Amino acid sequence: MSNEHIVSSFDEELRALHKSIMQMGGLVEAQIAQSMQAMSRRDSQLASAVVTADAKVDALHHEIDEQVVRMLALRQPMASDLRTVVASLRIATDLERIGDYAANIAKRTLALNVSPSVKPASGVLRMGKIVQSIVNDVLDAYAERNAERAAAIRERDTEVDELYTSIFRELLTYMMEDPRNITACTHVLFMSKNLERIGDHATNIAETIYYIVRGKVPDEERAKGDLSSMTAMTDKGVTYVADSQGN
Amino acid sequence: MSNEHIVSSFDEELRALHKSIMQMGGLVEAQIAQSMQAMSRRDSQLASAVVTADAKVDALHHEIDEQVVRMLALRQPMASDLRTVVASLRIATDLERIGDYAANIAKRTLALNVSPSVKPASGVLRMGKIVQSIVNDVLDAYAERNAERAAAIRERDTEVDELYTSIFRELLTYMMEDPRNITACTHVLFMSKNLERIGDHATNIAETIYYIVRGKVPDEERAKGDLSSMTAMTDKGVTYVADSQGN
C-alpha cells in the first residue's frame, strides 16, 4: 500500500477498508465451501448454518458501505485513492450477491435432503470446486492488487459457463427419463445456475480490480459460454437456438 | 432539486446525473415491456431486438459510473449531495441487472418459440405486468424523491414472490404430467425467476431512494415470500421444507 499520503490516518482508513473487504471475501468463500459440503454430505444442519450466516455477510456489506461514504465525506480522496474507495462499493455488492447465492444453494440442499439423491448433482460439485478456486483467486488478486492475475480470471469463467451448459442438458435428460426426478432436478438446476452467477460476480470483481490498478476496465468483451438460455427441444433432441448475434 | 449550492454548475451536474438515471430507467422499463410482448406474441424478431438493446443499457451504466467518479473527484460533495451521488451508483447497478434479466427473458423467448406454447406461460405474463408496474412506480418515486412511495413498493414485492412460488409449483406439476414439456417449462421457470429477481432489484432501488431522502435504510427486514427454494416432492405431493429460521 502506498505511503504517499500526507494525512497518515487516511492510509489507516484505506487499510481498514481493505481489511473489511478481505474479511467479507473470506466469509463468502467459507459460505460457498460449506454450502457445497452440505450438499455433498446431505448435511442439513450445516446447510441451515450457511443460511443463518448470510446475515453476517449482509452486515459486513452494510458496514463497508458506511465506511466508504464516511471516507468520501471526510477525506475527499483523489485519483487512485478515489478509484479504490469507489471500487470497494462495487466489490462489496458483488460479494454480497455471491453470499446470497451460497445461502440459496444451502436452502435448496435442505429441500433436496428430503428426497433420494440425483445423479447430476456430482457435476454441480465439480462446478462448485472450480467456482471456489476462482473466488479464492480473485481475492488473492485483490490482496495483491494484481491486474494481470485479475485479467486471467475472466478467462476461467468460460470454463464455468461451459460446465453449466453441460449440466443443464444432463438435468433435462434426467428429468425426461423419470418425472419423479423433476423436483430434485429443478433444485439442482437452480443450484448450478447459482454457481454460474457466482462465477459472473467473481468476474465482475476481477474487472473492478483491474480498474483499481489500471484506472480503466479491461478491453475485450468477455465471451459468453452459457448457452443454456438458447436450449430448445426439437425432434433431433436438445439443440441450441442462435439469436441474431449468433450467441 | 435544491438551490442551496454555491457552485451552480454542481446543480447542473446533479441534474444531468438524475437525467441519466431516469433515461436508463426508461430504457430498462421498455426492455421489460418488450420482452413480455415478445413472449406473449411469440415474436422472435422483437425478442432479438431486446437482446441487442441490452448493450445500450450497459453503456448508460458505464456512463453513470464515470459521471459519479468525476463528480466525487471534482466536486467533493457533502451530506445529502454525497448520498445522492453514491446512491446513483447503486441504482445504476440495480437497473443494469434488471436490463440483464429482461434480455435473458428475450433470449429464452427465442428458444421457446421453436416448440409449442406451454400453459403456465400465462401466469408469467401476469407476473410480468406486476413487475412492470413496480418498476414504473419505483422510477416515479425516484423522480419525486418520495420516501413514502418508495417504502410502499417494498410491500408490493411480496405479491411478486408469492406469484412466483405459485408458478413454480404449477410448472413442476406440468412437467410431471408430460415430460415433453420439460425443456419449455424449464425456460418458463427461469423467465419467472428472472421476473422475481427484477422485483428484488426494484425493491433495492426503493430502499436506496429511501436512503437518499431520509439518510438511512428502511428499518424492518422485508418478508421473504419466495418459498420455492424450499419446495420438496414427498408422497403427499409438493410441500415446503422449513429451514431453521422457519422461512
Side-chain angles (χ1 to χ4, degrees):
Chain A
M1 201 153 284
S2 101
N3 286 311
E4 293 156 0
H5 306 285
I6 301 157
V7 188
S8 78
S9 67
F10 180 68
D11 276 344
E12 279 163 35
E13 282 175 25
L14 270 183
R15 267 194 294 274
L17 185 60
H18 178 91
K19 210 177 132 192
S20 299
I21 296 273
M22 289 306 293
Q23 194 187 347
M24 195 176 170
L27 197 53
V28 157
E29 224 183 327
Q31 288 282 89
I32 305 171
Q34 282 171 15
S35 72
M36 286 292 107
Q37 218 170 69
M39 186 190 179
S40 74
R41 296 186 193 163
R42 299 173 66 82
D43 182 341
S44 295
Q45 210 178 339
L46 183 57
S48 291
V50 173
V51 175
T52 310
D54 189 45
K56 274 190 235 164
V57 179
D58 291 348
L60 258 171
H61 180 209
H62 189 66
E63 229 171 76
I64 290 169
D65 265 19
E66 286 188 341
Q67 259 174 297
V68 166
V69 172
R70 208 167 44 233
M71 284 171 84
L72 289 172
L74 302 178
R75 301 291 178 176
Q76 306 170 338
M78 305 293 284
S80 96
D81 290 337
L82 178 60
R83 275 208 305 276
T84 305
V85 173
V86 170
S88 304
L89 275 183
R90 270 190 230 159
I91 293 176
T93 303
D94 283 308
L95 287 175
E96 192 263 337
R97 293 298 305 135
I98 293 177
D100 278 354
Y101 287 118
N104 191 265
I105 290 172
K107 268 193 191 179
R108 290 183 191 278
T109 293
L110 291 170
L112 274 185
N113 285 355
V114 300
S115 46
S117 60
V118 290
K119 207 183 54 181
S122 67
V124 176
L125 294 174
R126 205 163 66 244
M127 199 174 162
K129 278 214 186 345
I130 299 173
V131 165
Q132 275 177 69
S133 109
I134 291 177
V135 171
N136 185 276
D137 215 17
V138 91
L139 291 172
D140 285 349
Y142 176 77
E144 298 167 6
R145 295 288 190 276
N146 190 331
E148 285 71 33
R149 192 163 180 175
I153 288 164
R154 300 165 78 231
E155 306 300 317
R156 296 192 61 194
D157 192 41
T158 313
E159 205 183 330
V160 177
D161 288 342
E162 280 165 7
L163 192 49
Y164 171 70
T165 306
S166 108
I167 291 171
F168 182 86
R169 292 179 71 157
E170 196 188 346
L171 282 166
L172 287 194
T173 311
Y174 208 65
M175 286 195 252
M176 285 171 206
E177 273 168 20
D178 187 347
R180 283 171 303 180
N181 292 325
I182 289 176
T183 308
C185 282
T186 302
H187 284 303
V188 177
L189 196 62
F190 274 114
M191 286 162 126
S192 54
K193 184 70 194 169
N194 286 345
L195 288 172
E196 190 262 336
R197 295 293 302 135
I198 291 178
D200 286 347
H201 285 283
T203 307
N204 288 350
I205 297 176
E207 286 171 6
T208 306
I209 294 166
Y210 194 95
Y211 166 81
I212 294 176
V213 181
R214 296 280 165 84
K216 59 176 185 177
V217 286
D219 289 337
E220 2 155 31
E221 191 52 49
R222 178 163 42 109
K224 247 306 180 192
D226 163 18
L227 291 172
S228 73
S229 312
M230 299 286 127
T231 310
M233 195 63 203
T234 67
D235 48 8
K236 287 180 229 74
V238 176
T239 57
Y240 298 108
V241 182
D243 63 23
S244 62
Q245 284 80 53
N247 61 29
Chain B
M1 204 152 284
S2 102
N3 287 310
E4 292 155 4
H5 306 287
I6 300 159
V7 188
S8 79
S9 68
F10 180 67
D11 276 344
E12 279 162 35
E13 282 176 24
L14 269 183
R15 268 193 294 273
L17 184 60
H18 177 92
K19 209 177 132 192
S20 299
I21 295 273
M22 288 306 292
Q23 194 188 347
M24 194 177 171
L27 196 53
V28 158
E29 223 182 327
Q31 288 283 89
I32 305 171
Q34 282 171 15
S35 72
M36 287 291 107
Q37 217 168 70
M39 186 191 179
S40 73
R41 296 184 192 163
R42 299 173 67 82
D43 182 341
S44 296
Q45 209 177 338
L46 183 57
S48 290
V50 172
V51 175
T52 311
D54 190 45
K56 276 190 235 165
V57 179
D58 290 348
L60 259 170
H61 180 208
H62 190 66
E63 230 172 76
I64 290 169
D65 265 17
E66 285 188 341
Q67 261 175 294
V68 166
V69 172
R70 208 165 45 232
M71 285 172 83
L72 288 172
L74 302 178
R75 301 292 177 178
Q76 305 169 338
M78 303 294 283
S80 94
D81 290 337
L82 178 60
R83 274 209 304 276
T84 305
V85 173
V86 171
S88 303
L89 276 183
R90 270 189 230 160
I91 292 176
T93 303
D94 282 309
L95 287 175
E96 192 262 338
R97 291 300 305 136
I98 293 177
D100 278 353
Y101 287 118
N104 190 266
I105 290 172
K107 268 193 193 179
R108 291 183 189 278
T109 293
L110 291 170
L112 274 184
N113 285 355
V114 299
S115 48
S117 61
V118 289
K119 208 183 53 181
S122 68
V124 176
L125 294 174
R126 207 163 65 244
M127 199 173 159
K129 278 212 186 347
I130 299 174
V131 165
Q132 274 177 69
S133 110
I134 292 177
V135 171
N136 185 276
D137 215 19
V138 91
L139 292 172
D140 284 349
Y142 176 76
E144 299 168 5
R145 296 287 191 277
N146 190 330
E148 286 71 33
R149 193 163 178 175
I153 289 163
R154 301 164 80 231
E155 306 301 317
R156 296 191 63 195
D157 192 42
T158 312
E159 206 182 329
V160 177
D161 288 342
E162 280 165 7
L163 192 50
Y164 170 69
T165 305
S166 109
I167 290 171
F168 182 86
R169 292 179 69 157
E170 196 187 346
L171 282 166
L172 287 194
T173 311
Y174 208 65
M175 287 194 252
M176 286 171 204
E177 274 167 21
D178 187 348
R180 284 171 303 181
N181 292 325
I182 288 175
T183 308
C185 283
T186 302
H187 284 303
V188 178
L189 195 63
F190 274 114
M191 285 161 127
S192 54
K193 184 70 194 171
N194 286 346
L195 288 172
E196 191 261 335
R197 294 293 302 138
I198 291 178
D200 286 346
H201 285 283
T203 307
N204 288 350
I205 297 176
E207 286 171 6
T208 305
I209 295 167
Y210 193 96
Y211 166 81
I212 293 176
V213 181
R214 295 281 164 83
K216 57 175 187 178
V217 288
D219 287 338
E220 358 155 36
E221 192 48 52
R222 179 162 43 110
K224 250 299 179 198
D226 164 17
L227 292 172
S228 73
S229 312
M230 299 287 126
T231 310
M233 195 64 202
T234 66
D235 48 9
K236 287 179 228 74
V238 175
T239 56
Y240 297 110
V241 183
D243 63 20
S244 62
Q245 285 80 54
N247 60 28

